Amino acid sequence: MLRVSRQSSGEPEVFYSLQGEGANIGGPSVFLRLATCNLACTWCDTKYTWDWANFDYDQEVVSLESSQIEEKILGFGCSNLVITGGEPLLQQSELVPLVASLKSRGMTFEVETNGTIAPLPELVRDIDQWNVSPKLANSGNPADRREDASALTAFRELPNAYFKFVVNAAGDVEEVCALRDRHNLPNQRIILMPQGHTPEALKLRSGWVSEACVKEGFRFSTRLHILLWGDERGR
Ligand code: SF4
C-alpha cells in the first residue's frame, strides 16, 4: 500500500500537467503525490501532505494498492511520471514494484526528493531523473535534519541527479555555494529557483537569482505552475 495525498475533491492526487520546475521544466507528465514528509519547511506549499497539526490526516491521505495507482496513471496515456510529495523516499520500498511494473510498460520516471534519504538500488536502476532539493536555513529546519552527507553523496554519484535550491535572499546563494563545496556537487547539475507562491513574488526575485546563476555557472529555473496557475492544488 502507498499513502497518497488527496486533491481538494477528495480524489487521490494523481494528475496530468506540465513539469513546473527543474531540468525537465515544461515536459508533459503525470504526477503522483505521496503523503508524509520528514522535514517541516516553513514555506512548504504542500503542508497538507504532512502538517497534521493543521490538516486532518484522514481527509488528506488515502492508502491505495499499487495496482490501483498504476491504473490511474496509465489512464492518462502519458509516458512520463513525476513522483513527488511530501517526501516520496519515505515510501521507497513500496514504490519499487509500482515503478518496475510501469517501466515494463515503457514509462519514464522523475522523483522529487529533499535529499535526506539515500535511494534504494532497485529504484536507482529504474528512475530516469532525480530532482533533489536540499533545504537551506530559510526552510526553518535544523541543519542536522535537512543536510545528510551520505544521502547527498549517493545522489552526487548519480549522473541523472540534479540539485535544485529554493532561494529567497542573496545570502541563500552563499549557503548553496558552501553546501556545494562541502559535498563536491557539480555546478552544471545545480539549479537555483526563486521562492514564491505568486507570479509577483517570483518576478521580484527572478532577476537577481538568474544573475547569480550566470555568475556561479548554475542553472536557473522558474516555477512554471505558479506562473500559469498560481497556488492551485492538483495543477
Ligand atoms: Fe514541504 Fe518538501 Fe519541505 Fe517536505 S521537504 S516540508 S514536502 S517543501
Side-chain angles (χ1 to χ4, degrees):
M1 297 284 262
L2 279 156
R3 285 162 291 151
V4 180
S5 286
R6 294 182 197 260
Q7 303 186 59
S8 311
S9 64
E11 287 298 304
E13 200 166 340
V14 183
F15 60 98
Y16 178 49
S17 189
L18 301 176
Q19 172 55 290
E21 305 173 354
N24 187 32
I25 190 166
S29 304
V30 180
F31 291 77
L32 166 63
R33 188 178 304 285
L34 297 180
T36 71
C37 188
N38 57 342
L39 295 183
C41 305
T42 51
W43 41 255
C44 177
D45 54 9
T46 56
K47 286 188 176 175
Y48 60 90
T49 66
W50 57 267
D51 181 4
W52 311 129
N54 291 297
F55 292 88
D56 178 37
Y57 180 92
D58 291 329
Q59 266 189 18
E60 301 293 346
V61 180
V62 56
S63 293
L64 295 174
E65 298 284 357
S66 190
S67 57
Q68 294 173 288
I69 301 171
E70 182 168 343
E71 196 184 321
K72 284 185 186 300
I73 290 167
L74 291 172
F76 290 101
C78 172
S79 62
N80 191 53
L81 176 67
V82 178
I83 302 167
T84 187
E87 172 46 59
L89 293 187
L90 287 173
Q91 302 188 67
Q92 60 174 331
S93 302
E94 294 85 352
L95 269 175
V96 169
L98 174 68
V99 168
S101 177
L102 287 167
K103 185 111 186 160
S104 71
R105 291 169 171 263
M107 285 202 82
T108 55
F109 305 90
E110 295 173 47
V111 171
E112 310 205 307
T113 173
N114 60 31
T116 59
I117 300 170
L120 290 172
E122 301 94 304
L123 270 191
V124 168
R125 182 193 62 202
D126 287 344
I127 299 303
D128 298 277
Q129 184 176 299
W130 296 92
N131 304 327
V132 184
S133 188
K135 302 305 179 240
L136 303 175
N138 70 28
S139 69
N141 295 288
D144 61 344
R145 284 189 62 198
R146 62 182 147 83
E147 190 173 327
D148 184 295
S150 60
L152 287 174
T153 301
F155 285 115
R156 182 193 67 209
E157 297 308 310
L158 302 177
N160 56 352
Y162 292 85
F163 299 89
K164 184 180 67 183
F165 294 90
V166 178
V167 293
N168 196 27
D172 294 343
V173 179
E174 288 168 29
E175 207 183 325
V176 170
C177 292
L179 189 140
R180 168 200 60 193
D181 295 344
R182 275 197 300 283
H183 302 288
N184 287 318
L185 305 182
N187 281 354
Q188 61 274 24
R189 289 198 275 133
I190 292 179
I191 302 170
L192 300 189
M193 190 173 74
Q195 198 259 320
H197 290 185
T198 64
E200 295 72 31
L202 275 182
K203 204 171 166 194
L204 202 67
R205 298 186 179 97
S206 290
W208 64 264
V209 174
S210 56
E211 281 167 26
C213 286
V214 172
K215 178 167 177 271
E216 298 294 339
F218 298 155
R219 294 175 182 229
F220 173 83
S221 173
T222 187
R223 308 183 79 193
L224 192 58
H225 48 301
I226 298 285
L227 294 179
L228 294 174
W229 301 301
D231 213 4
E232 198 177 327
R233 200 192 285 197
R235 294 298 297 263

